[in-house]
Amino acid sequence: MLPALQLLLIGLYGLCLLLLLGFSVSQWQLTRLARRAYAAPGLPPLTPAEWPLVTVQLPLYNEVFVAERLLDACAALRYPAGRLHLQVLDDSTDETVALVAARVAHYRAQGVHIDHVRRATRTGFKAGALAYGLTRTEGELIAIFDADFVPQPDFLEQVVPHFYLDEARDTRTGVVQTRWGHLNEEYSLLTSLQAFALNAHFYVEQVGRQQGGHFLNFNGTGGVWRRACIEDAGNWHADTLTEDLDLSYRAQLRGWHFRYLPQVAAPAELPATMDALKSQQFRWTKGGAETARKHLGAVWRSKQSLVTRLQATFHLLNSTVFLAILLMAVLSVPLVFMRARVPQLEPAFQMATGFLVVLVPLVFYFRTAWQRAALDRPAPRPGFMGQLLLFLAFSMGLSLHNSRAVLLGLLGQRTAFIRTPKLGLMQQPGAWRGRRYRTSRLRSGLTLLEGLLCLYFLVGIGAGVYLREFGLLPTHMLLATGYGLVFYYSLRHAA
């Protein structure tokens, strides 16, 4: 290999490492802020003198397995009589329509104010449904639950008071977001790893952002908006795949305040199949990149502090981590051979093994989330380091799939809104077989590449052992495990 090419390879690896280090330090800072917040909890909110009108919007699209469960939970919400409106925004094209219609009729006969809202076309997908629903309700506050959520009866009683800071109404609080719970965390390895990642976001990241006065995001569901905030920020837009993140930034750039309640959980079902998880990951990562493309300039033109603008940059660009991971991973195997043949580049190779140093702040971040989650579990789960290593491996294994999504988002390529199917899978492993709502059949090209990458990193492991170059061995073991898991589940759940 020519010296110039060698230096280019190491330079690219170093740039990726610096990017990952920046994100890692950002998470470390949020963890410090979150721990400070937990050490000094705020005062409880005041009960409003007059409870506002609340509309609960339930966007649905072909949710035959969970629609009735959602309606039953929302019909059981406790709230002052005459102040609650349930709005089922049903864009379904299958028998979900009949199931919902029957359930709505059942609860309407019991005196529940509930409407079954249908549109002629599914224009704008979820964002379009939410915007359309606003034109058909007078609610001052708008609660939103996706089909896989099962809110507790006291959800509104816990959340609505947080729109009030004192005796007068706090008219600048635009959103109160709650933490997601997990109905099926123990269902499989796939669901437990998702819960591990989401807990870090909800127990640490969101808490840290609130404590530091940084930009928060509405998580698409399990939260309540002030209607005036939605309208002032320009209503729901369908030009990104993450309409929730988009509206969150537009609202906060206009001076609205967001509040986050880690003590209030909104239980939900985690995707239990690889095709469902990949569709969700694609939407989140591509949508995040689209939102960054749309709002990053406005963030840096705003009057926010430098730290807040930096945190917002890492927040909006966090999906680009997958690009760095994928590039570093591909470059890491040639580095093993270069290290054996070019001894004078030893300092550069020491830098390459520094990937493990990047993980140190992340251990602090995930460990804090693990500890906080343990307080809310009846039986805390053991094995933090094993779970962390499996999660890191699995995340690396998704880097090819997610990098494609990020690139499409950054380049402004439009793609269809593919929702995450909700299958009502709670306790029976294997029950996904034969289920409808597959988001895609086996993507043979991408899945084949994931399998080949697993073999590629096994070659890296073998080369490292043969050449007695062990610096990148832990990284290659994580990569081989991660791509192996993703390849295995992709094949298994496509059967």
Side-chain angles (χ1 to χ4, degrees), residues 193 196 200 359-371 377 380-392:
L193 292 178
F196 184 85
L359 301 181
V360 174
L362 293 181
V363 173
F364 180 51
Y365 168 65
F366 284 108
R367 179 68 180 178
T368 299
W370 180 274
Q371 291 170 335
R377 286 196 187 103
R381 297 183 61 189
F384 165 73
M385 284 307 299
Q387 191 84 350
L388 175 63
L389 291 173
L390 271 175
F391 166 73
L392 291 174

Side-chain angles (χ1 to χ4, degrees), residues 52-207:
L53 291 171
V54 173
T55 296
V56 179
Q57 291 189 321
L58 310 174
L60 300 180
Y61 177 69
N62 294 350
E63 307 289 6
V64 68
F65 299 114
V66 296
E68 292 174 303
R69 182 181 72 182
L70 172 68
L71 268 62
D72 292 344
C74 291
L77 288 169
R78 296 197 299 264
Y79 202 68
R83 311 297 290 173
L84 182 63
H85 175 204
L86 304 185
Q87 192 180 62
V88 188
L89 306 173
D90 185 11
D91 285 345
S92 299
T93 58
D94 65 359
E95 60 264 44
T96 303
V97 178
L99 289 175
V100 169
R103 215 70 187 148
V104 167
H106 168 76
Y107 284 115
R108 187 175 287 166
Q110 296 183 6
V112 177
H113 184 193
I114 182 171
D115 291 325
H116 187 191
V117 180
R118 299 273 295 155
R119 296 189 292 164
T121 62
R122 198 178 170 222
T123 304
F125 305 104
K126 180 181 175 181
L130 295 172
Y132 181 76
L134 279 182
T135 67
R136 302 173 66 88
T137 185
E138 300 298 323
E140 177 186 342
L141 300 181
I142 310 295
I144 300 173
F145 295 105
D146 284 348
D148 49 337
F149 275 69
V150 186
Q152 297 299 307
D154 64 348
F155 180 88
L156 293 175
E157 293 174 336
Q158 292 190 76
V159 173
V160 169
H162 287 271
F163 282 90
Y164 303 88
L165 291 179
D166 48 38
E167 296 295 340
R169 289 193 174 192
D170 170 25
T171 58
R172 296 309 294 176
T173 294
V175 170
V176 178
Q177 173 68 52
T178 67
R179 173 174 56 84
W180 293 3
H182 315 300
L183 293 170
N184 59 339
E185 178 177 355
E186 306 296 334
Y187 179 82
S188 68
L189 175 62
L190 208 58
T191 57
S192 68
L193 292 178
Q194 291 174 73
F196 184 85
L198 288 170
N199 284 344
H201 173 73
F202 284 103
Y203 279 106
V204 177
E205 205 171 337
Q206 290 284 65
V207 176

Side-chain angles (χ1 to χ4, degrees), residues 239-463:
D239 57 350
T240 75
L241 293 184
T242 46
E243 72 290 325
D244 46 2
L245 181 62
D246 169 39
L247 184 56
S248 296
Y249 267 80
R250 281 190 279 122
Q252 288 168 104
L253 286 168
R254 290 189 59 81
W256 290 92
H257 303 151
F258 281 27
R259 302 194 182 284
Y260 173 65
L261 308 179
Q263 70 274 23
V264 180
E269 178 186 326
L270 295 161
T273 62
M274 181 55 76
D275 66 299
L277 175 59
K278 280 185 170 180
S279 71
Q280 184 184 74
Q281 287 287 306
F282 182 89
R283 192 173 68 252
W284 287 357
T285 51
K286 181 176 185 286
E290 289 172 331
T291 306
R293 194 169 182 266
K294 183 175 179 179
H295 292 303
L296 203 51
V299 167
W300 279 97
R301 290 190 298 270
S302 72
K303 296 181 180 180
Q304 300 289 336
S305 70
L306 176 62
V307 173
T308 293
R309 283 179 286 170
L310 284 171
Q311 280 288 351
T313 301
F314 284 119
H315 185 197
L316 289 171
L317 291 176
N318 63 7
S319 58
T320 61
V321 165
F322 291 104
L323 289 172
I325 290 174
L326 179 62
L327 183 56
M328 286 180 64
V330 172
L331 296 176
S332 64
V333 174
L335 282 175
V336 174
F337 295 96
M338 285 176 60
R339 183 167 187 171
R341 297 180 180 180
V342 190
Q344 60 267 37
L345 294 178
E346 180 64 24
F349 292 119
Q350 291 176 353
M351 174 202 71
T353 59
F355 174 71
L356 298 178
V357 177
V358 171
L359 301 181
V360 174
L362 293 181
V363 173
F364 180 51
Y365 168 65
F366 284 108
R367 179 68 180 178
T368 299
W370 180 274
Q371 291 170 335
R372 297 304 309 185
L375 299 177
D376 293 323
R377 286 196 187 103
R381 297 183 61 189
F384 165 73
M385 284 307 299
Q387 191 84 350
L388 175 63
L389 291 173
L390 271 175
F391 166 73
L392 291 174
F394 191 71
S395 297
M396 292 177 180
L398 284 169
S399 61
L400 175 63
H401 173 271
N402 288 352
S403 290
R404 173 178 173 269
V406 173
L407 286 173
L408 290 173
L410 292 176
L411 294 173
Q413 296 292 315
R414 300 303 298 271
T415 54
F417 183 98
I418 305 297
R419 59 68 184 256
T420 304
K422 293 88 176 178
L423 304 180
L425 299 181
M426 301 294 295
Q427 297 177 340
Q428 301 176 354
W432 49 267
R433 292 185 184 277
R435 294 282 197 176
R436 69 180 83 184
Y437 301 152
R438 298 268 179 90
T439 56
S440 65
R441 294 296 173 184
L442 182 66
R443 293 182 65 94
S444 57
L446 192 65
T447 302
L448 177 61
L449 280 175
E450 288 165 344
L452 291 175
L453 282 171
C454 176
L455 296 176
Y456 179 71
F457 298 119
L458 288 173
V459 169
I461 293 172

